[in-house]
Amino acid sequence: MNKIYKAFDEIHASEDLKTKTLNRCKPKVRMKYIPQLVAACLVLFTFVGGTGIFHASTTEAAYISLDVNPSIGLSLNQFKRVISVDTYNDDAVEVVEGLDLKGKKYSDAVDDIFEAENLLGYDVSAAEIYIEGNSENLNQEINDTIKLQCPNANLTCHNVNNKEKAMEYNISPGKYYLIEQIVQYGGTIDEYVDKSMNELKEIYSQYTGESYSGNHHNEEHGNGAGNGTGLGMGNGTGNGTGAGNGSGNGAGSGMGNGNGTGQGSGHGKKQ
């Protein structure tokens, strides 16, 4: 037996053979699972990306209300396409009846509305168009586009959310905005919600002495009739030469800090 062991001890494997044998003994990578892993990653990527697109396509980014007397609202998504249509009176229901507005670009939807057969007889040039977007750039783009389509219409842009307030009264944001301007001078919102746009414009003119016109971009308004300073009883320091009875010794202008009867217009415009 010792001779047999001795005989085998003299047999040696080459280094190359050892290396090949060792490599064959190592666990093999399961290549067949790689395609499944790639497919799973693609599905996950598609799901995440699709969710984002779905959110952008169904979430409101801007709102346009068009008031002629028919009062119509268009809700737009991030892609500036119509995702819902609101009608605020019976006239509006008749106008949009038969119009396929959802999914259309807002400019095409506005064209369809103003060209609707049921809108014939209304003075479209006197339309009040209110734009409320979630960004200044979006507001500007919509404003410029519609202004080209309807050069004689009155446009008002805002970043604030008047839509939610308007919905409480079931009126359009554009009508609510005009009422806001009126109540600075008198009355309450409840008194005006049932009046037409033409009636509201007349009331506005009676209060201000000027016609109501749009083309306001990011317009801001003040506090209405405020306390003016000036025409009151002034506590001056001398012989007053101004409005008011000054009292005191020495040279003075006589303009006191009285609580006067000044009427603030409260309708400042920020271009």
Side-chain angles (χ1 to χ4, degrees):
M1 291 292 292
N2 290 335
K3 290 182 179 181
I4 295 175
Y5 283 128
K6 185 178 181 181
F8 275 103
D9 283 342
E10 294 178 356
I11 300 174
H12 299 284
S14 66
E15 291 300 323
D16 182 57
L17 179 60
K18 291 179 181 179
T19 302
K20 290 181 178 179
T21 303
L22 182 61
N23 288 337
R24 286 182 176 277
C25 292
K26 290 181 178 179
K28 294 183 179 179
V29 178
R30 306 287 295 202
M31 297 295 293
K32 66 178 182 179
Y33 292 118
I34 291 181
Q36 287 91 326
L37 291 174
V38 172
C41 291
L42 289 175
V43 169
L44 180 61
F45 178 79
T46 302
F47 174 77
V48 174
T51 302
I53 293 174
F54 177 78
H55 179 76
S57 63
T58 57
T59 302
E60 183 178 290
Y63 195 85
I64 304 172
S65 70
L66 305 97
D67 292 281
V68 182
N69 184 51
S71 186
I72 302 167
L74 301 176
S75 179
L76 313 181
N77 62 18
Q78 294 285 356
F79 306 108
K80 290 163 278 191
R81 293 187 177 274
V82 178
I83 55 177
S84 65
V85 180
D86 297 316
T87 52
Y88 295 97
N89 51 26
D90 293 337
D91 291 340
V93 174
E94 294 180 2
V95 170
V96 302
E97 187 176 11
L99 297 181
D100 187 16
L101 301 176
K102 288 186 179 180
K104 286 191 173 182
K105 190 175 180 181
Y106 70 90
S107 55
D108 295 332
V110 170
D111 275 341
D112 288 350
I113 291 172
F114 282 154
E115 293 173 2
E117 183 176 352
N118 287 326
L119 202 60
L120 296 177
Y122 291 99
D123 186 6
V124 176
S125 65
E128 295 293 334
I129 302 177
Y130 177 92
I131 302 164
E132 187 175 289
N134 61 9
S135 73
E136 176 68 19
N137 290 337
L138 183 57
N139 271 352
Q140 186 68 59
E141 178 184 339
I142 297 174
N143 178 84
D144 293 345
T145 300
I146 295 183
K147 188 61 181 174
L148 291 175
Q149 293 177 271
C150 316
N152 295 320
N154 295 325
L155 276 74
T156 302
C157 287
H158 249 298
N159 287 331
V160 298
N161 196 348
N162 269 339
K163 181 189 172 186
E164 289 185 5
K165 301 174 185 176
M167 292 298 182
E168 295 177 8
Y169 297 92
N170 195 32
I171 59 177
S172 72
K175 184 174 183 179
Y176 182 86
Y177 179 78
L178 175 52
I179 292 175
E180 270 194 321
Q181 312 311 303
I182 295 174
V183 297
Q184 296 178 67
Y185 303 99
T188 64
I189 294 177
D190 290 317
E191 294 178 36
Y192 300 119
V193 290
D194 293 328
K195 296 187 179 297
S196 70
M197 290 296 287
N198 286 335
E199 289 174 325
L200 291 174
K201 289 179 183 179
E202 290 178 5
I203 295 171
Y204 176 87
S205 297
Q206 291 171 4
Y207 274 120
T208 65
E210 59 184 28
S211 61
Y212 179 76
S213 62
N215 301 319
H216 308 311
H217 195 68
N218 286 337
E219 180 173 312
E220 298 177 351
H221 53 270
N223 295 320
N227 294 323
T229 59
L231 294 175
M233 297 297 292
N235 293 320
T237 58
N239 295 320
T241 60
N245 295 323
S247 62
N249 297 318
S253 65
M255 289 294 290
N257 294 322
N259 290 323
T261 59
Q263 187 84 358
S265 68
H267 192 65
K269 297 177 183 177
K270 177 182 178 181
Q271 294 296 330

